[in-house]
Short mmCIF file of all heavy atoms in Angstrom, two decimals:
data_model
loop_
_atom_site.label_atom_id
_atom_site.label_comp_id
_atom_site.label_asym_id
_atom_site.label_seq_id
_atom_site.Cartn_x
_atom_site.Cartn_y
_atom_site.Cartn_z
N MET W 165 3.99 4.45 -48.90
CA MET W 165 5.08 5.13 -48.32
C MET W 165 6.21 4.17 -47.94
O MET W 165 7.25 4.60 -47.48
CB MET W 165 4.63 5.91 -47.10
CG MET W 165 3.65 7.03 -47.45
SD MET W 165 3.17 7.99 -46.01
CE MET W 165 4.62 9.00 -45.81
N ASN W 166 5.98 2.88 -48.05
CA ASN W 166 6.98 1.88 -47.66
C ASN W 166 7.45 2.08 -46.23
O ASN W 166 8.64 2.02 -45.92
CB ASN W 166 8.17 1.92 -48.61
CG ASN W 166 7.80 1.43 -49.99
OD1 ASN W 166 6.95 0.53 -50.12
ND2 ASN W 166 8.40 1.98 -51.01
N ALA W 167 6.53 2.31 -45.32
CA ALA W 167 6.87 2.51 -43.91
C ALA W 167 6.23 1.44 -43.06
O ALA W 167 5.15 0.93 -43.38
CB ALA W 167 6.40 3.88 -43.46
N PHE W 168 6.89 1.09 -41.99
CA PHE W 168 6.34 0.16 -41.03
C PHE W 168 6.05 0.94 -39.75
O PHE W 168 6.86 1.74 -39.31
CB PHE W 168 7.33 -0.98 -40.73
CG PHE W 168 7.52 -1.88 -41.90
CD1 PHE W 168 8.55 -1.68 -42.79
CD2 PHE W 168 6.64 -2.92 -42.13
CE1 PHE W 168 8.72 -2.50 -43.89
CE2 PHE W 168 6.79 -3.75 -43.22
CZ PHE W 168 7.84 -3.55 -44.11
N VAL W 169 4.89 0.68 -39.18
CA VAL W 169 4.49 1.39 -37.98
C VAL W 169 4.90 0.58 -36.76
O VAL W 169 4.60 -0.60 -36.66
CB VAL W 169 2.96 1.62 -37.97
CG1 VAL W 169 2.52 2.33 -36.71
CG2 VAL W 169 2.54 2.38 -39.22
N ILE W 170 5.59 1.25 -35.84
CA ILE W 170 5.98 0.55 -34.62
C ILE W 170 4.78 0.46 -33.70
O ILE W 170 3.77 1.15 -33.90
CB ILE W 170 7.16 1.26 -33.93
CG1 ILE W 170 6.80 2.69 -33.53
CG2 ILE W 170 8.40 1.25 -34.80
CD1 ILE W 170 7.85 3.36 -32.66
N PRO W 171 4.87 -0.36 -32.66
CA PRO W 171 3.73 -0.49 -31.75
C PRO W 171 3.31 0.85 -31.15
O PRO W 171 4.10 1.79 -31.11
CB PRO W 171 4.27 -1.40 -30.65
CG PRO W 171 5.39 -2.15 -31.28
CD PRO W 171 5.98 -1.21 -32.30
N GLN W 172 2.08 0.89 -30.70
CA GLN W 172 1.56 2.12 -30.11
C GLN W 172 2.43 2.56 -28.94
O GLN W 172 2.97 1.73 -28.22
CB GLN W 172 0.15 1.90 -29.59
CG GLN W 172 -0.90 1.83 -30.66
CD GLN W 172 -2.28 1.69 -30.04
OE1 GLN W 172 -2.47 0.93 -29.11
NE2 GLN W 172 -3.24 2.41 -30.59
N ASN W 173 2.51 3.86 -28.76
CA ASN W 173 3.26 4.36 -27.62
C ASN W 173 2.45 4.14 -26.34
O ASN W 173 1.26 3.90 -26.38
CB ASN W 173 3.63 5.82 -27.79
CG ASN W 173 2.43 6.73 -27.87
OD1 ASN W 173 1.30 6.28 -27.79
ND2 ASN W 173 2.66 8.01 -28.02
N VAL W 174 3.14 4.19 -25.23
CA VAL W 174 2.49 4.03 -23.94
C VAL W 174 2.61 5.37 -23.20
O VAL W 174 3.69 5.75 -22.77
CB VAL W 174 3.16 2.91 -23.11
CG1 VAL W 174 2.50 2.79 -21.75
CG2 VAL W 174 3.10 1.59 -23.87
N ALA W 175 1.51 6.07 -23.12
CA ALA W 175 1.50 7.33 -22.39
C ALA W 175 1.32 7.02 -20.91
O ALA W 175 0.43 6.26 -20.52
CB ALA W 175 0.36 8.21 -22.89
N ILE W 176 2.18 7.59 -20.09
CA ILE W 176 2.15 7.31 -18.66
C ILE W 176 1.70 8.57 -17.92
O ILE W 176 2.37 9.59 -17.95
CB ILE W 176 3.52 6.84 -18.16
CG1 ILE W 176 3.90 5.55 -18.90
CG2 ILE W 176 3.51 6.64 -16.66
CD1 ILE W 176 5.28 5.04 -18.59
N ASN W 177 0.56 8.44 -17.28
CA ASN W 177 0.03 9.54 -16.47
C ASN W 177 0.66 9.52 -15.09
O ASN W 177 1.04 8.46 -14.60
CB ASN W 177 -1.48 9.42 -16.35
CG ASN W 177 -2.18 9.51 -17.68
OD1 ASN W 177 -1.77 10.29 -18.54
ND2 ASN W 177 -3.21 8.71 -17.87
N ASN W 178 0.73 10.67 -14.47
CA ASN W 178 1.22 10.77 -13.09
C ASN W 178 2.55 10.06 -12.90
O ASN W 178 2.71 9.22 -12.01
CB ASN W 178 0.18 10.23 -12.12
CG ASN W 178 -1.15 10.94 -12.24
OD1 ASN W 178 -1.19 12.16 -12.40
ND2 ASN W 178 -2.24 10.20 -12.18
N VAL W 179 3.50 10.41 -13.72
CA VAL W 179 4.82 9.77 -13.69
C VAL W 179 5.42 9.82 -12.29
O VAL W 179 5.98 8.83 -11.81
CB VAL W 179 5.75 10.43 -14.73
CG1 VAL W 179 7.17 9.91 -14.59
CG2 VAL W 179 5.24 10.19 -16.13
N HIS W 180 5.28 10.95 -11.63
CA HIS W 180 5.87 11.11 -10.30
C HIS W 180 5.29 10.14 -9.27
O HIS W 180 5.91 9.87 -8.25
CB HIS W 180 5.70 12.56 -9.82
CG HIS W 180 4.27 12.97 -9.68
ND1 HIS W 180 3.49 13.30 -10.77
CD2 HIS W 180 3.48 13.09 -8.60
CE1 HIS W 180 2.27 13.60 -10.35
NE2 HIS W 180 2.24 13.49 -9.03
N GLU W 181 4.11 9.60 -9.53
CA GLU W 181 3.49 8.63 -8.61
C GLU W 181 3.91 7.20 -8.93
O GLU W 181 3.65 6.30 -8.13
CB GLU W 181 1.97 8.73 -8.68
CG GLU W 181 1.41 10.04 -8.17
CD GLU W 181 -0.10 10.11 -8.29
OE1 GLU W 181 -0.72 9.08 -8.64
OE2 GLU W 181 -0.65 11.19 -8.03
N ASN W 182 4.54 6.98 -10.08
CA ASN W 182 4.86 5.62 -10.50
C ASN W 182 6.35 5.32 -10.62
O ASN W 182 6.75 4.17 -10.59
CB ASN W 182 4.18 5.34 -11.85
CG ASN W 182 2.69 5.24 -11.73
OD1 ASN W 182 2.18 4.28 -11.18
ND2 ASN W 182 1.97 6.25 -12.20
N PHE W 183 7.18 6.37 -10.78
CA PHE W 183 8.61 6.16 -11.00
C PHE W 183 9.45 7.00 -10.05
O PHE W 183 9.06 8.10 -9.66
CB PHE W 183 8.98 6.53 -12.44
CG PHE W 183 8.33 5.66 -13.47
CD1 PHE W 183 7.11 6.02 -14.02
CD2 PHE W 183 8.93 4.48 -13.89
CE1 PHE W 183 6.50 5.22 -14.98
CE2 PHE W 183 8.32 3.67 -14.84
CZ PHE W 183 7.11 4.05 -15.38
N ASP W 184 10.66 6.51 -9.75
CA ASP W 184 11.59 7.33 -8.98
C ASP W 184 12.41 8.19 -9.93
O ASP W 184 12.19 8.16 -11.15
CB ASP W 184 12.48 6.45 -8.08
CG ASP W 184 13.39 5.51 -8.86
OD1 ASP W 184 13.61 5.70 -10.09
OD2 ASP W 184 13.93 4.57 -8.24
N GLU W 185 13.38 8.93 -9.39
CA GLU W 185 14.18 9.84 -10.22
C GLU W 185 15.04 9.11 -11.26
O GLU W 185 15.43 9.68 -12.27
CB GLU W 185 15.11 10.70 -9.35
CG GLU W 185 14.39 11.68 -8.46
CD GLU W 185 14.32 11.19 -7.01
OE1 GLU W 185 15.11 10.30 -6.63
OE2 GLU W 185 13.46 11.67 -6.28
N ASP W 186 15.33 7.83 -11.01
CA ASP W 186 16.15 7.04 -11.93
C ASP W 186 15.33 6.30 -12.98
O ASP W 186 15.87 5.55 -13.78
CB ASP W 186 17.01 6.04 -11.15
CG ASP W 186 18.00 6.74 -10.24
OD1 ASP W 186 18.56 7.78 -10.65
OD2 ASP W 186 18.23 6.24 -9.12
N GLY W 187 14.01 6.47 -12.95
CA GLY W 187 13.15 5.83 -13.94
C GLY W 187 12.69 4.44 -13.57
O GLY W 187 12.13 3.73 -14.40
N HIS W 188 12.91 4.02 -12.33
CA HIS W 188 12.46 2.70 -11.88
C HIS W 188 11.07 2.81 -11.26
O HIS W 188 10.75 3.80 -10.61
CB HIS W 188 13.44 2.13 -10.85
CG HIS W 188 14.81 1.95 -11.39
ND1 HIS W 188 15.83 2.82 -11.10
CD2 HIS W 188 15.34 1.02 -12.22
CE1 HIS W 188 16.92 2.44 -11.71
NE2 HIS W 188 16.65 1.35 -12.41
N PHE W 189 10.29 1.75 -11.45
CA PHE W 189 8.97 1.73 -10.83
C PHE W 189 9.10 1.79 -9.32
O PHE W 189 9.94 1.12 -8.73
CB PHE W 189 8.21 0.44 -11.17
CG PHE W 189 7.52 0.47 -12.50
CD1 PHE W 189 7.97 -0.30 -13.55
CD2 PHE W 189 6.38 1.24 -12.68
CE1 PHE W 189 7.32 -0.30 -14.76
CE2 PHE W 189 5.73 1.25 -13.90
CZ PHE W 189 6.21 0.48 -14.93
N LEU W 190 8.25 2.58 -8.70
CA LEU W 190 8.16 2.58 -7.24
C LEU W 190 7.44 1.30 -6.82
O LEU W 190 6.52 0.85 -7.51
CB LEU W 190 7.37 3.80 -6.75
CG LEU W 190 7.99 5.17 -7.07
CD1 LEU W 190 7.00 6.28 -6.72
CD2 LEU W 190 9.28 5.35 -6.30
N GLU W 191 7.87 0.70 -5.74
CA GLU W 191 7.25 -0.55 -5.29
C GLU W 191 5.75 -0.40 -5.03
O GLU W 191 4.99 -1.31 -5.30
CB GLU W 191 7.96 -1.07 -4.04
CG GLU W 191 9.29 -1.73 -4.33
CD GLU W 191 9.17 -2.91 -5.29
OE1 GLU W 191 8.25 -3.75 -5.14
OE2 GLU W 191 10.01 -3.00 -6.21
N ASP W 192 5.36 0.73 -4.53
CA ASP W 192 3.95 0.96 -4.22
C ASP W 192 3.24 1.81 -5.27
O ASP W 192 2.22 2.44 -4.99
CB ASP W 192 3.80 1.58 -2.84
CG ASP W 192 4.50 2.94 -2.73
OD1 ASP W 192 5.32 3.26 -3.62
OD2 ASP W 192 4.24 3.66 -1.75
N ALA W 193 3.78 1.82 -6.47
CA ALA W 193 3.18 2.62 -7.55
C ALA W 193 1.75 2.16 -7.81
O ALA W 193 1.49 0.96 -7.93
CB ALA W 193 4.00 2.48 -8.83
N PRO W 194 0.81 3.09 -7.88
CA PRO W 194 -0.60 2.72 -8.05
C PRO W 194 -0.91 2.03 -9.37
O PRO W 194 -1.84 1.24 -9.46
CB PRO W 194 -1.34 4.05 -7.93
CG PRO W 194 -0.33 5.10 -8.23
CD PRO W 194 0.99 4.54 -7.79
N SER W 195 -0.13 2.31 -10.40
CA SER W 195 -0.41 1.74 -11.73
C SER W 195 0.73 0.84 -12.21
O SER W 195 0.85 0.59 -13.41
CB SER W 195 -0.63 2.87 -12.73
OG SER W 195 -1.66 3.72 -12.30
N LYS W 196 1.56 0.36 -11.31
CA LYS W 196 2.75 -0.41 -11.69
C LYS W 196 2.41 -1.61 -12.57
O LYS W 196 3.01 -1.80 -13.63
CB LYS W 196 3.50 -0.89 -10.45
CG LYS W 196 4.73 -1.70 -10.77
CD LYS W 196 5.44 -2.16 -9.52
CE LYS W 196 6.64 -3.00 -9.92
NZ LYS W 196 7.32 -3.56 -8.75
N ASP W 197 1.48 -2.45 -12.15
CA ASP W 197 1.16 -3.66 -12.91
C ASP W 197 0.67 -3.32 -14.32
O ASP W 197 1.06 -3.97 -15.29
CB ASP W 197 0.11 -4.49 -12.18
CG ASP W 197 0.64 -5.08 -10.88
OD1 ASP W 197 1.87 -5.22 -10.74
OD2 ASP W 197 -0.19 -5.39 -10.00
N PHE W 198 -0.19 -2.32 -14.43
CA PHE W 198 -0.74 -1.94 -15.73
C PHE W 198 0.37 -1.47 -16.68
O PHE W 198 0.47 -1.95 -17.81
CB PHE W 198 -1.79 -0.83 -15.54
CG PHE W 198 -2.30 -0.28 -16.83
CD1 PHE W 198 -3.26 -0.96 -17.57
CD2 PHE W 198 -1.82 0.93 -17.33
CE1 PHE W 198 -3.73 -0.45 -18.77
CE2 PHE W 198 -2.29 1.45 -18.53
CZ PHE W 198 -3.24 0.75 -19.25
N TYR W 199 1.18 -0.51 -16.21
CA TYR W 199 2.22 0.04 -17.08
C TYR W 199 3.33 -0.96 -17.36
O TYR W 199 3.87 -1.00 -18.46
CB TYR W 199 2.79 1.34 -16.50
CG TYR W 199 1.83 2.49 -16.59
CD1 TYR W 199 1.46 3.20 -15.46
CD2 TYR W 199 1.28 2.87 -17.81
CE1 TYR W 199 0.57 4.26 -15.55
CE2 TYR W 199 0.40 3.92 -17.90
CZ TYR W 199 0.05 4.61 -16.77
OH TYR W 199 -0.83 5.66 -16.86
N GLU W 200 3.66 -1.76 -16.39
CA GLU W 200 4.69 -2.78 -16.59
C GLU W 200 4.27 -3.75 -17.69
O GLU W 200 5.06 -4.10 -18.56
CB GLU W 200 4.95 -3.52 -15.28
CG GLU W 200 6.24 -4.27 -15.24
CD GLU W 200 6.58 -4.73 -13.84
OE1 GLU W 200 5.69 -5.26 -13.14
OE2 GLU W 200 7.73 -4.54 -13.44
N LYS W 201 3.01 -4.16 -17.67
CA LYS W 201 2.48 -5.06 -18.70
C LYS W 201 2.53 -4.40 -20.08
O LYS W 201 3.00 -4.99 -21.05
CB LYS W 201 1.05 -5.47 -18.35
CG LYS W 201 0.42 -6.40 -19.34
CD LYS W 201 -1.00 -6.77 -18.94
CE LYS W 201 -1.66 -7.63 -19.98
NZ LYS W 201 -3.06 -7.94 -19.64
N LYS W 202 2.05 -3.16 -20.17
CA LYS W 202 2.03 -2.45 -21.45
C LYS W 202 3.45 -2.23 -21.99
O LYS W 202 3.70 -2.41 -23.19
CB LYS W 202 1.32 -1.09 -21.31
CG LYS W 202 -0.15 -1.20 -21.08
CD LYS W 202 -0.83 -1.68 -22.33
CE LYS W 202 -2.33 -1.67 -22.18
NZ LYS W 202 -3.00 -2.23 -23.34
N LEU W 203 4.36 -1.81 -21.14
CA LEU W 203 5.74 -1.57 -21.58
C LEU W 203 6.40 -2.86 -22.03
O LEU W 203 7.09 -2.89 -23.06
CB LEU W 203 6.54 -0.89 -20.47
CG LEU W 203 6.11 0.55 -20.15
CD1 LEU W 203 6.77 1.01 -18.85
CD2 LEU W 203 6.46 1.48 -21.29
N ASN W 204 6.19 -3.95 -21.30
CA ASN W 204 6.78 -5.23 -21.70
C ASN W 204 6.20 -5.73 -23.02
O ASN W 204 6.92 -6.31 -23.83
CB ASN W 204 6.60 -6.27 -20.59
CG ASN W 204 7.57 -6.06 -19.46
OD1 ASN W 204 8.69 -5.58 -19.66
ND2 ASN W 204 7.16 -6.41 -18.25
N GLN W 205 4.91 -5.52 -23.25
CA GLN W 205 4.30 -5.90 -24.53
C GLN W 205 4.96 -5.14 -25.68
O GLN W 205 5.27 -5.72 -26.72
CB GLN W 205 2.80 -5.63 -24.52
CG GLN W 205 2.00 -6.57 -23.68
CD GLN W 205 0.54 -6.15 -23.58
OE1 GLN W 205 0.18 -4.98 -23.78
NE2 GLN W 205 -0.31 -7.10 -23.24
N ASN W 206 5.19 -3.85 -25.49
CA ASN W 206 5.82 -3.05 -26.55
C ASN W 206 7.26 -3.46 -26.77
O ASN W 206 7.72 -3.51 -27.91
CB ASN W 206 5.72 -1.56 -26.23
CG ASN W 206 4.44 -0.96 -26.75
OD1 ASN W 206 3.50 -1.68 -27.08
ND2 ASN W 206 4.38 0.34 -26.82
N ILE W 207 7.99 -3.76 -25.72
CA ILE W 207 9.37 -4.22 -25.86
C ILE W 207 9.41 -5.51 -26.66
O ILE W 207 10.26 -5.68 -27.55
CB ILE W 207 10.04 -4.38 -24.48
CG1 ILE W 207 10.26 -3.01 -23.85
CG2 ILE W 207 11.35 -5.16 -24.59
CD1 ILE W 207 10.64 -3.05 -22.39
N LYS W 208 8.49 -6.42 -26.40
CA LYS W 208 8.44 -7.69 -27.14
C LYS W 208 8.15 -7.44 -28.62
O LYS W 208 8.75 -8.05 -29.49
CB LYS W 208 7.40 -8.63 -26.54
CG LYS W 208 7.82 -9.24 -25.24
CD LYS W 208 6.74 -10.15 -24.69
CE LYS W 208 7.13 -10.68 -23.33
NZ LYS W 208 6.08 -11.53 -22.76
N LYS W 209 7.21 -6.53 -28.91
CA LYS W 209 6.87 -6.23 -30.30
C LYS W 209 8.04 -5.57 -31.02
O LYS W 209 8.36 -5.93 -32.16
CB LYS W 209 5.64 -5.32 -30.37
CG LYS W 209 4.35 -6.00 -30.00
CD LYS W 209 3.19 -5.02 -30.03
CE LYS W 209 1.91 -5.66 -29.55
NZ LYS W 209 0.80 -4.70 -29.55
N ILE W 210 8.69 -4.62 -30.38
CA ILE W 210 9.83 -3.95 -31.00
C ILE W 210 10.96 -4.94 -31.24
O ILE W 210 11.58 -4.95 -32.30
CB ILE W 210 10.29 -2.76 -30.13
CG1 ILE W 210 9.23 -1.66 -30.18
CG2 ILE W 210 11.65 -2.24 -30.59
CD1 ILE W 210 9.44 -0.57 -29.16
N SER W 211 11.20 -5.82 -30.28
CA SER W 211 12.24 -6.84 -30.43
C SER W 211 11.90 -7.79 -31.58
O SER W 211 12.77 -8.16 -32.37
CB SER W 211 12.37 -7.63 -29.13
OG SER W 211 13.35 -8.63 -29.26
N PHE W 212 10.63 -8.17 -31.70
CA PHE W 212 10.20 -9.04 -32.79
C PHE W 212 10.49 -8.41 -34.15
O PHE W 212 11.09 -9.03 -35.03
CB PHE W 212 8.70 -9.35 -32.66
CG PHE W 212 8.13 -10.03 -33.87
CD1 PHE W 212 8.29 -11.40 -34.05
CD2 PHE W 212 7.45 -9.31 -34.84
CE1 PHE W 212 7.78 -12.03 -35.18
CE2 PHE W 212 6.94 -9.93 -35.97
CZ PHE W 212 7.10 -11.30 -36.13
N TYR W 213 10.07 -7.16 -34.32
CA TYR W 213 10.28 -6.49 -35.60
C TYR W 213 11.77 -6.24 -35.86
O TYR W 213 12.23 -6.34 -36.99
CB TYR W 213 9.49 -5.18 -35.68
CG TYR W 213 8.02 -5.42 -35.89
CD1 TYR W 213 7.09 -5.12 -34.91
CD2 TYR W 213 7.55 -5.97 -37.08
CE1 TYR W 213 5.74 -5.36 -35.11
CE2 TYR W 213 6.22 -6.22 -37.28
CZ TYR W 213 5.30 -5.91 -36.29
OH TYR W 213 3.97 -6.15 -36.49
N ASN W 214 12.51 -5.94 -34.83
CA ASN W 214 13.94 -5.76 -34.98
C ASN W 214 14.59 -7.03 -35.53
O ASN W 214 15.36 -6.98 -36.49
CB ASN W 214 14.57 -5.38 -33.64
CG ASN W 214 16.06 -5.20 -33.76
OD1 ASN W 214 16.54 -4.39 -34.55
ND2 ASN W 214 16.81 -5.95 -32.96
N ASN W 215 14.27 -8.17 -34.94
CA ASN W 215 14.82 -9.44 -35.42
C ASN W 215 14.30 -9.79 -36.81
O ASN W 215 15.04 -10.32 -37.64
CB ASN W 215 14.50 -10.56 -34.43
CG ASN W 215 15.30 -10.44 -33.16
OD1 ASN W 215 16.45 -10.01 -33.17
ND2 ASN W 215 14.70 -10.80 -32.05
N LEU W 216 13.04 -9.52 -37.06
CA LEU W 216 12.46 -9.80 -38.37
C LEU W 216 13.21 -9.06 -39.47
O LEU W 216 13.61 -9.65 -40.47
CB LEU W 216 10.98 -9.41 -38.38
CG LEU W 216 10.25 -9.62 -39.71
CD1 LEU W 216 10.06 -11.11 -39.98
CD2 LEU W 216 8.90 -8.93 -39.67
N PHE W 217 13.41 -7.77 -39.28
CA PHE W 217 14.08 -6.97 -40.30
C PHE W 217 15.57 -7.29 -40.38
O PHE W 217 16.16 -7.28 -41.46
CB PHE W 217 13.88 -5.49 -40.06
CG PHE W 217 12.44 -5.06 -40.23
CD1 PHE W 217 11.83 -4.27 -39.28
CD2 PHE W 217 11.70 -5.46 -41.33
CE1 PHE W 217 10.51 -3.87 -39.44
CE2 PHE W 217 10.40 -5.09 -41.49
CZ PHE W 217 9.78 -4.29 -40.54
N LYS W 218 16.18 -7.58 -39.26
CA LYS W 218 17.61 -7.90 -39.25
C LYS W 218 17.87 -9.21 -39.98
O LYS W 218 18.83 -9.33 -40.73
CB LYS W 218 18.12 -7.99 -37.81
CG LYS W 218 19.61 -8.23 -37.71
CD LYS W 218 20.08 -8.12 -36.27
CE LYS W 218 19.82 -9.44 -35.59
NZ LYS W 218 20.37 -9.48 -34.21
N ASN W 219 17.00 -10.19 -39.80
CA ASN W 219 17.20 -11.51 -40.38
C ASN W 219 16.56 -11.68 -41.75
O ASN W 219 16.74 -12.71 -42.38
CB ASN W 219 16.65 -12.58 -39.42
CG ASN W 219 17.40 -12.60 -38.12
OD1 ASN W 219 18.61 -12.42 -38.08
ND2 ASN W 219 16.69 -12.82 -37.03
N ASN W 220 15.83 -10.70 -42.22
CA ASN W 220 15.15 -10.77 -43.52
C ASN W 220 15.31 -9.46 -44.27
O ASN W 220 14.33 -8.80 -44.62
CB ASN W 220 13.66 -11.08 -43.32
CG ASN W 220 13.44 -12.42 -42.67
OD1 ASN W 220 13.62 -13.46 -43.29
ND2 ASN W 220 13.07 -12.42 -41.40
N GLN W 221 16.53 -9.11 -44.51
CA GLN W 221 16.78 -7.85 -45.19
C GLN W 221 16.33 -7.94 -46.64
O GLN W 221 16.39 -8.99 -47.27
CB GLN W 221 18.24 -7.50 -45.12
CG GLN W 221 18.70 -7.24 -43.69
CD GLN W 221 20.15 -6.85 -43.61
OE1 GLN W 221 20.80 -6.60 -44.62
NE2 GLN W 221 20.68 -6.79 -42.40
N PHE W 222 15.85 -6.86 -47.15
CA PHE W 222 15.39 -6.82 -48.54
C PHE W 222 16.21 -5.80 -49.30
O PHE W 222 16.74 -4.85 -48.73
CB PHE W 222 13.90 -6.50 -48.61
CG PHE W 222 13.50 -5.25 -47.90
CD1 PHE W 222 13.49 -4.03 -48.54
CD2 PHE W 222 13.15 -5.30 -46.55
CE1 PHE W 222 13.11 -2.88 -47.88
CE2 PHE W 222 12.77 -4.15 -45.88
CZ PHE W 222 12.76 -2.93 -46.53
N GLU W 223 16.32 -6.05 -50.59
CA GLU W 223 17.10 -5.15 -51.43
C GLU W 223 16.25 -3.95 -51.82
O GLU W 223 15.06 -4.06 -52.03
CB GLU W 223 17.58 -5.88 -52.67
CG GLU W 223 18.56 -6.99 -52.35
CD GLU W 223 19.05 -7.69 -53.60
OE1 GLU W 223 19.06 -7.07 -54.67
OE2 GLU W 223 19.39 -8.88 -53.49
N GLN W 224 16.92 -2.82 -51.94
CA GLN W 224 16.20 -1.62 -52.37
C GLN W 224 16.45 -1.34 -53.81
O GLN W 224 17.41 -1.60 -54.39
CB GLN W 224 16.65 -0.43 -51.53
CG GLN W 224 16.24 -0.59 -50.12
CD GLN W 224 16.57 0.66 -49.30
OE1 GLN W 224 17.09 1.65 -49.81
NE2 GLN W 224 16.28 0.62 -48.03
#
């Protein structure tokens, strides 16, 4: 299919217990460390692939 799969999504349970209305982690969020780590890992992977494809374009 000539497709590249992006990193796994991060499903966040109990959003109301972890984030405020603006999408920021609550300081006392019960799962803050876990989700922060997972989200940062995905951001790094997406950034890596973005740079890889941007700097190594292939002809179709």
Side-chain angles (χ1 to χ4, degrees):
M165 295 182 77
N166 292 326
F168 292 94
V169 179
I170 61 171
Q172 285 183 317
N173 63 0
V174 178
I176 299 175
N177 298 322
N178 303 319
V179 173
H180 62 283
E181 294 178 8
N182 291 288
F183 296 91
D184 63 17
E185 293 102 19
D186 296 322
H188 299 103
F189 277 110
L190 297 171
E191 283 302 316
D192 60 346
S195 304
K196 179 180 178 184
D197 293 337
F198 174 79
Y199 288 124
E200 198 168 46
K201 180 180 176 183
K202 291 290 186 185
L203 292 168
N204 284 329
Q205 287 173 338
N206 272 15
I207 290 168
K208 286 179 185 178
K209 288 178 185 178
I210 291 168
S211 179
F212 170 81
Y213 285 112
N214 179 57
N215 289 325
L216 179 71
F217 294 133
K218 184 172 82 175
N219 296 322
N220 298 287
Q221 296 182 9
F222 54 90
E223 295 181 27
Q224 294 185 1

